[in-house]
Amino acid sequence: MAASALAAGYVLVQGYPSVEDYLYMRATCNLSLRNAEQAAAALQGSWYGVYVAEEATPTEPIAMGRIIGDGGWYFLIADMMTLPEHQRKGLADVVLKNLLATIKSRAAKGQAYVTLGADPPGRRLYQKNGFKDTMPQQMGMSLLIDAGGEQ
Ligand SMILES: CC(C)(COP(=O)(O)OP(=O)(O)OC[C@H]1O[C@@H](n2cnc3c(N)ncnc32)[C@H](O)[C@@H]1OP(=O)(O)O)[C@@H](O)C(=O)NCCC(=O)NCCS
C-alpha cells in the first residue's frame, strides 16, 4: 500500500495526544466517553500511535490512530478519528497507512494479523486499505466488563 501525501498545512507526528486532548477528541468525534484513568492507561499501553496536527500548532492533534499490539503478530487498530472540521481531507487515510506501514516494518518477521472494529464512518476507509469482513468464517465478538472493582 503506497503512502499517501498529507494535505498542505498539516504535519504527521509520531506519538499520542495528551489525556485531555484524547478525551476531547473522542467526545467530539462521537465515540464512547472514557475517563482520565482509562485514557492514561490506554495511551501508555499502546504499541504505536500517530496523530495529525496543523503545522502552526503541532502539539494540538486533530486526527489520530493507535495500535494495541504484542509486537509479534497480533495488532488491533484503535481510536481512528478526525475532528469534524478536518474530515474528508484524507487525514485518516494517511494515519491508517502509517500505522499499517509501521506494523510491516517493525513487527516480528512473519505474517501479522491486524484487526479492528469498523464503525460505519470508517468502513470504506478500511476496505480501501485492504481490510476484509471476517464473516462468515469468523464472527467478531465483544464483552463489556465493569472494571476497577473487587474480584
Ligand atoms: C472515520 C473517520 C476517522 C475518517 O476520517 P477522515 O479524515 O475524514 O477520513 P479521510 O478523509 O481519509 O476519508 C474519508 C472520506 O473523505 C474522502 N476524501 C479524502 N480526501 C478528500 C478531499 N480532499 N476532498 C474530499 N473528500 C476527500 C475519502 O475518499 C473518503 O471518502 P469515502 O469514505 O467516500 O471513500 C472520521 O469520519 C471520524 O473521525 N469519524 C468519527 C469517529 C469514528 O467513527 N471513527 C471510526 C471508528 S471505527
Side-chain angles (χ1 to χ4, degrees):
M1 81 213 57
S4 57
L6 204 52
Y10 293 102
V11 286
L12 190 66
V13 182
Q14 282 186 14
Y16 309 96
S18 66
V19 165
E20 191 184 26
D21 287 341
Y22 171 74
L23 294 174
Y24 171 78
M25 289 177 80
R26 280 196 65 95
T28 308
C29 292
N30 282 323
L31 295 176
S32 58
L33 297 179
R34 299 292 155 194
N35 62 48
E37 185 185 355
Q38 288 178 312
L43 299 171
Q44 280 162 22
S46 296
W47 183 73
Y48 176 76
V50 70
Y51 67 86
V52 175
E54 290 182 280
E55 255 167 11
T57 50
T59 58
E60 292 176 21
I62 48 141
M64 73 166 287
R66 66 185 176 102
I67 303 171
I68 302 155
D70 57 23
W73 65 273
Y74 200 96
F75 300 88
L76 171 69
I77 306 282
D79 287 320
M80 286 294 304
M81 51 185 159
T82 301
L83 295 181
E85 63 269 34
H86 298 279
Q87 288 179 5
R88 300 194 66 80
K89 295 178 176 180
L91 302 186
D93 189 58
V94 170
V95 166
L96 182 61
K97 284 184 165 62
N98 181 273
L99 298 180
L100 299 178
T102 302
I103 293 171
K104 191 171 172 59
S105 64
R106 292 194 196 169
K109 197 170 173 59
Q111 192 168 58
Y113 182 77
V114 186
T115 185
L116 52 76
D119 291 343
R123 282 181 196 158
R124 278 174 60 88
L125 172 71
Y126 304 136
Q127 283 164 347
K128 273 193 309 194
N129 281 281
F131 285 84
K132 303 260 189 299
D133 190 340
T134 56
M135 288 286 277
Q137 287 87 354
Q138 199 180 44
M139 178 174 61
M141 300 181 83
S142 65
L143 172 68
L144 295 176
I145 294 178
D146 288 327
E150 307 214 340
Q151 264 196 334

